[in-house]
Every structure is written in structure tokens, then in C-alpha cells.
Amino acid sequence: MPGYRAIVGHFTLFLLLMNPQPAQATDASLVNGEVGLYPVGFRLYADRDGARTFACPIRPDGDAFAPGRPVRIYIWYPAQDSDRGRLLIRDYIQMAADDFGLRGENSEPVLPVQLMKGLDDEPLAALLNVKTMAVQGAEPESCPFPLIILGQGLYYESPFTHYALCESLAGHGYVVATCPLMGTHARLVNINAVDLETQIRDMEFVLSKARELPFVDSEELGVIGYDLGGMAGLILSMRNLDVDAFLSLDSGILFPHYSGLPNTHPNYDENRFVIPWLHVTQARFGQGEPSRGDPSSLMDRKRFGDSYLYLAETFNHGDFTSYAAFRITKAVPGYWSSPTNDSELLHEQICLAGREFFDAYLKDDGDALSRLQTMPGDPAVSRAFPEMIHKPGQPRHPHPDDIVQEIIEKGFEAARPTILEARKTYPDSLLFREPFINWLGYHFLYWWGRESEAVEVFKLNTEIFPQSANAFDSLGEAYSFTGNREKAIESYRRSLELNPENQNAREILEQLD
């Protein structure tokens, strides 16, 4: 999408706070810094995942909520011009309070702790009346746009945390969908694999619902994850073949996290992390901790798909959220000790980098790719990201499941060219796993009535893993089952050579001899 950036009147929050006008909404695109190609529309859907359970709260009128897990889906999208008023900051805060059933005196929404403790009364009152870019219920543009799913972070559970980034992306031609972060059975979120899986499933539920919208392009899919949401986004990117690009924000995935997550999740598989990845984090987290004996980084190990690491000069986890644009002046225990002067600039550059990244890899925009890879040339960007690392990756390889499905559907002989090309072009260990191929072979041999193909599958396994005694043992079993005694003996002997302790091969050889 060349030539799309037209920087227009930037209203800073500094001017707003110097002249607070709490009685009326102030027009300020304070967090985006620019107007995109499209007006921004917004919708909120209250939905339920009936396949799961949740602590059943009681409505104020005494009626219980319907069964199932509540999932409130926030969606920003490119919209048509509308004469409706734009959402205010207070509107987002009201939605955030409703997400968690938080009501103060006179049914007023409970303010986020970050704002309640971070700003004095007058600046806070002025902020609540600031107009954002989004128009609730605006008519969407008719053409479909790429979809981006966003995962929230621990202690920053509300989508309000990232509304500015979401509006920015929507204004530049993306549909962005997210939901609040909740624990598995109650609001409390634990740092464990169970609650991480719950967040992944919530993101998948949002993905499923968003794809039903007529203005969503189901062929292009991006994922954003902040903090714990970055861990969830990484797992989602590993197990969902449709994800095309992943942006992580200050998430503990570059080096091992003290909790063991996300590596301890059963779907964590670096061989399946083969898409373009942009990781933006604090500079102090750019290197592992020698005291812990940290191994190489995930970026070092990642071989497929371009990778980008942007290191920001900040110690404030909140600088990677919309709070960075609010000119918060006070330390907030549990969140940050002292706000930095460059917080607003950093957040603007995160929005910019995220758009360039998705433009490059979801819209195949070559100009955006060039800008992404040369961003340090801009002095303003260099202030925000003093160190940027670009690691080119090999093209995305075929997924092993795709190859297996081709073997199942078309037969081994028809799939042979695909197999040979994949083995020639890509490392075998990244495409095929010995137990996986072995399991397929046994399905052909005993359960699907395709014995001759089973032999070919087991032969493939021995070719890929020539030092595996088990692979030759299985091949011997297939030859024996199909009546090829000589080949069976040959395979079992090779298995015994590789593993003299293989008692099964020894006993069968005695029978065959």
C-alpha cells in the first residue's frame, strides 16, 4: 500500500493537560499521531463459548447469566464516513469496567488503577473526555481486510490497554479483534499452562467469530501478543497453520521465562514457528541472564521466516501499551516506578513498526518491507529503538501435516514428488519426525488396509532416520506382514545392529530363520 502515510496535525496530551476542559470532549488523536486511510469503526459483541464453564456471576436484577464462558469481543475495522460521535476515553473505560463487573459509587465505572493512581484529578478528568479515533457502530467498508487477533497481558487485562494500537491498525486497513484476559474459571489469571491454554482458546474463539464478518479477509491472518498474551500468541502461531505474521510486545518469550512458560505448554514446538516475527521489548531483556545459564535466544534458534528484534530504552512495561501516551506523572506501585519522557514517542513507533510489519507480510507491500528494515535511519525511531536486529529467515517450509494428508488422500506414490522435493529443499528434522511417520505406517499396515503403502512409509522412515533401530524394526514388521521374508530378515538384522538390546528383533529373527 505505497504512499499511505500522511502525517497530519498531532495533538499532544501535554497541551490538553495544560488546558483541561473536563466539561467537553477534546478532539485529540493523541496516541496515533496520524490519520489513516480509513475512518475507524468499532463494535463490541457479548458472546459465550458454550463448550466451557465459568464462575456464574449474578446480575444486579438477580438473574443469573446464561451458562458458558462469557467472551466479550472488541472489534476495530476500516469504516465509511459517519456522522456519529467518536468514542471517548471514558467510553472505553466503561466497557472495561463492564468486562469485569466493576461498579463504583452511583454505578460509575471503576477507573483503571494505572490512571486512578497515575494522574492528578484535573488531568484525569480532562483525559476521560478525550475523543479517540473510533466511531461505535460505523458502517464498515465493503471490501474484506486482513484480520489481526490480539492477546492481552497480565495486570493489563482489558482491551482498553491497547485500543490505540488497534485504532491505528484499523485506520490503515486491518480488522483487529480481541477480548479481555480472564482466568479459566474466575477473573483471577494464574501464570500456568492451564490459564495460558484458556487465553489461547479465547483468542481462537475470537478468531472464529471474527471470520464470520463479511468485511474480514480469511486468507490473511496476523497475531499480536503483549506480556502473557505474547506467550499465547506464540503458541497460537505454532499450532494454527493460518497465521501469517506474529508481533510480540514485551513478552517473556525471547529467553526462558521463570515460570517455564510457554515452553512447557504441550503445543510449544519451535520447528513449527516458521512465520515472520517482530519482537519489541525492553533493551535489558535483549540478552539472557548468564547467572541463570540462559541458552541461545528463540530468535537465534529460529530458522524459517524473517525475524526482527527491536530493543527499547525503557524500564517501563506499560510503555508498550496505550498508557504510554497519557503523560502519566506518578509512579504506580505494581506497574511502574517512574514514567519516562520518551514514552509517547516509543508508543507511536510501536504503532508504526507494527503497521509496517503487517503491511509487509500480510499485504505483500515491498515499500513497507524496505521501511521496516531501514527504520533506524529515522532519528526519531532511533531514539525509541536504539538497537534493531533483522535476521533474514528461509522461506516457510511445507507443514508436515500437509504432506501426511497428501499421502493419505492421494496415496504414497502420488505424493512421492512432494516428499522428494521437501527432503531436498528442507532439513529432514524440521519436516518429519520418526514416531509420527511410524504411527502413519501402522495405520496403513493394520487399520486402513493399505499394506503395500505401509512398507513405503516405513522405508521412508529408515531413509530419513538411518540410525534408528525402531524404524528398521517397524519396516521388518511390515515386510513380514506382507510376506517378504528376505527383506524382513534384512531389516530386523539392521535393527539389531543398531540396538543389540532389541529383544523383539532377536526373537523374530529366530522365528524367521
Side-chain angles (χ1 to χ4, degrees):
M1 200 159 62
Y4 67 89
R5 304 224 180 276
I7 304 298
V8 298
H10 179 58
F11 299 90
T12 66
L13 187 57
F14 174 77
L15 296 177
L16 171 64
L17 300 185
M18 294 300 99
N19 299 281
Q21 299 177 17
Q24 50 184 289
T26 305
D27 185 9
S29 55
L30 70 161
V31 286
N32 298 336
E34 63 178 285
V35 174
L37 286 176
Y38 305 94
V40 178
F42 172 80
R43 294 181 183 179
L44 175 60
Y45 298 90
D47 211 324
R48 284 184 173 271
D49 184 351
R52 293 184 285 165
T53 60
F54 195 75
C56 190
I58 303 298
R59 296 177 187 269
D61 57 12
D63 294 331
F65 279 92
R69 178 179 177 83
V71 183
R72 282 164 57 93
I73 303 174
Y74 288 62
I75 294 186
W76 292 264
Y77 54 89
Q80 301 176 22
D81 288 325
S82 173
D83 56 4
R84 298 185 183 186
R86 287 185 280 172
L87 288 171
L88 308 181
I89 295 292
R90 67 166 60 250
D91 295 323
Y92 278 123
I93 291 175
Q94 176 70 65
M95 291 180 233
D98 291 341
D99 290 337
F100 304 105
L102 303 176
R103 295 292 177 87
E105 296 181 4
N106 301 320
S107 295
E108 286 293 315
V110 175
L111 295 174
V113 171
Q114 299 97 314
L115 296 181
M116 184 169 52
K117 294 187 176 182
L119 288 172
D120 291 323
D121 291 342
E122 283 194 2
L124 177 57
L127 174 64
L128 297 181
N129 289 285
V130 168
K131 286 183 180 179
T132 68
M133 301 299 296
V135 176
Q136 188 163 13
E139 189 69 21
E141 281 286 342
S142 57
C143 59
F145 295 92
L147 175 63
I148 297 174
I149 303 298
L150 189 151
Q152 308 296 333
L154 196 61
Y155 314 126
Y156 294 84
E157 293 90 351
S158 169
F160 170 65
T161 299
H162 295 286
Y163 87 90
L165 174 61
C166 297
E167 288 187 352
S168 173
L169 288 167
H172 289 84
Y174 294 93
V175 179
V176 187
T178 186
C179 66
L181 173 61
M182 297 279 231
T184 301
H185 297 294
R187 181 186 174 187
L188 178 66
V189 181
N190 298 286
I191 308 177
N192 57 33
V194 173
D195 280 7
L196 179 62
E197 172 63 17
T198 294
Q199 185 179 22
I200 299 168
R201 291 188 64 181
D202 281 348
M203 293 170 70
E204 290 173 336
F205 184 81
V206 170
L207 168 60
S208 175
K209 293 298 181 179
R211 276 182 160 171
E212 296 175 1
L213 298 171
F215 50 87
V216 167
D217 180 359
S218 297
E219 298 298 319
E220 301 294 339
L221 176 63
V223 170
I224 300 175
Y226 167 71
D227 187 79
L228 188 67
M231 296 182 178
L234 179 60
I235 299 297
L236 182 60
S237 299
M238 289 175 171
R239 79 185 192 188
N240 189 319
L241 303 183
D242 290 343
V243 179
D244 299 299
F246 174 47
L247 164 62
S248 50
L249 302 174
D250 215 31
S251 176
I253 61 176
L254 188 63
F255 289 96
H257 191 261
Y258 72 88
S259 66
L261 297 176
N263 306 55
T264 54
H265 189 281
N267 289 131
Y268 186 89
D269 184 353
E270 293 180 7
N271 289 337
R272 297 194 174 195
F273 188 33
V274 295
I275 58 175
W277 172 39
L278 168 59
H279 186 60
V280 186
T281 191
Q282 300 173 48
R284 58 185 172 139
F285 298 145
Q287 301 292 331
E289 296 183 19
S291 60
R292 299 192 316 192
D294 282 348
S296 60
S297 71
L298 176 58
M299 185 173 180
D300 291 331
R301 299 189 299 272
K302 186 171 180 289
R303 298 180 59 184
F304 295 89
D306 293 344
S307 300
Y308 301 85
L309 175 61
Y310 289 0
L311 301 178
E313 283 296 343
T314 181
F315 290 88
N316 184 352
H317 191 46
D319 279 353
F320 298 82
T321 72
S322 297
Y323 292 108
F326 294 154
R327 290 292 178 93
I328 291 174
T329 57
K330 297 181 179 179
V332 181
Y335 289 98
W336 51 75
S337 55
S338 179
T340 63
N341 294 329
D342 282 345
S343 294
E344 189 174 5
L345 169 65
L346 173 59
H347 190 265
E348 288 179 355
Q349 299 306 330
I350 288 174
C351 291
L352 174 63
R355 293 197 306 269
E356 299 283 24
F357 175 68
F358 287 122
D359 281 351
Y361 293 103
L362 296 188
K363 296 182 178 179
D364 296 322
D365 185 342
D367 292 339
L369 182 62
S370 297
R371 288 191 295 268
L372 183 69
Q373 296 176 351
T374 58
M375 284 185 72
D378 184 339
V381 179
S382 297
R383 280 177 55 206
F385 302 126
E387 185 174 358
M388 299 188 188
I389 302 170
H390 170 219
K391 179 186 175 185
Q394 299 176 39
R396 182 174 182 169
H397 61 65
H399 197 280
D401 289 339
D402 291 336
I403 298 176
V404 168
Q405 187 61 25
E406 185 174 349
I407 296 173
I408 295 172
E409 288 185 354
K410 299 180 180 180
F412 191 88
E413 285 304 315
R416 187 183 295 275
T418 301
I419 298 169
L420 294 177
E421 180 63 26
R423 293 189 59 200
K424 176 182 177 182
T425 308
Y426 302 100
D428 293 332
S429 59
L430 290 175
L431 278 175
F432 302 102
R433 293 188 175 185
E434 180 197 340
F436 191 63
I437 302 176
N438 220 47
W439 188 234
L440 175 63
Y442 278 115
H443 276 74
F444 279 158
L445 186 63
Y446 291 120
W447 301 303
W448 290 348
R450 298 164 65 173
E451 293 87 354
S452 61
E453 291 180 88
V455 171
E456 296 303 318
V457 171
F458 287 127
K459 282 174 60 179
L460 173 67
N461 218 13
T462 61
E463 292 170 8
I464 297 175
F465 303 99
Q467 300 304 311
S468 170
N470 184 64
F472 280 96
D473 187 284
S474 297
L475 178 59
E477 184 174 350
Y479 277 131
S480 179
F481 188 86
T482 56
N484 193 332
R485 178 175 171 276
E486 291 185 3
K487 286 289 186 180
I489 292 174
E490 180 182 325
S491 297
Y492 278 121
R493 283 177 176 170
R494 179 56 181 158
S495 177
L496 201 57
E497 288 175 6
L498 293 169
N499 179 18
E501 303 300 320
N502 186 349
Q503 189 62 28
N504 177 69
R506 191 180 304 279
E507 292 175 358
I508 294 179
L509 275 173
E510 290 177 358
Q511 296 173 11
L512 291 172
D513 287 341

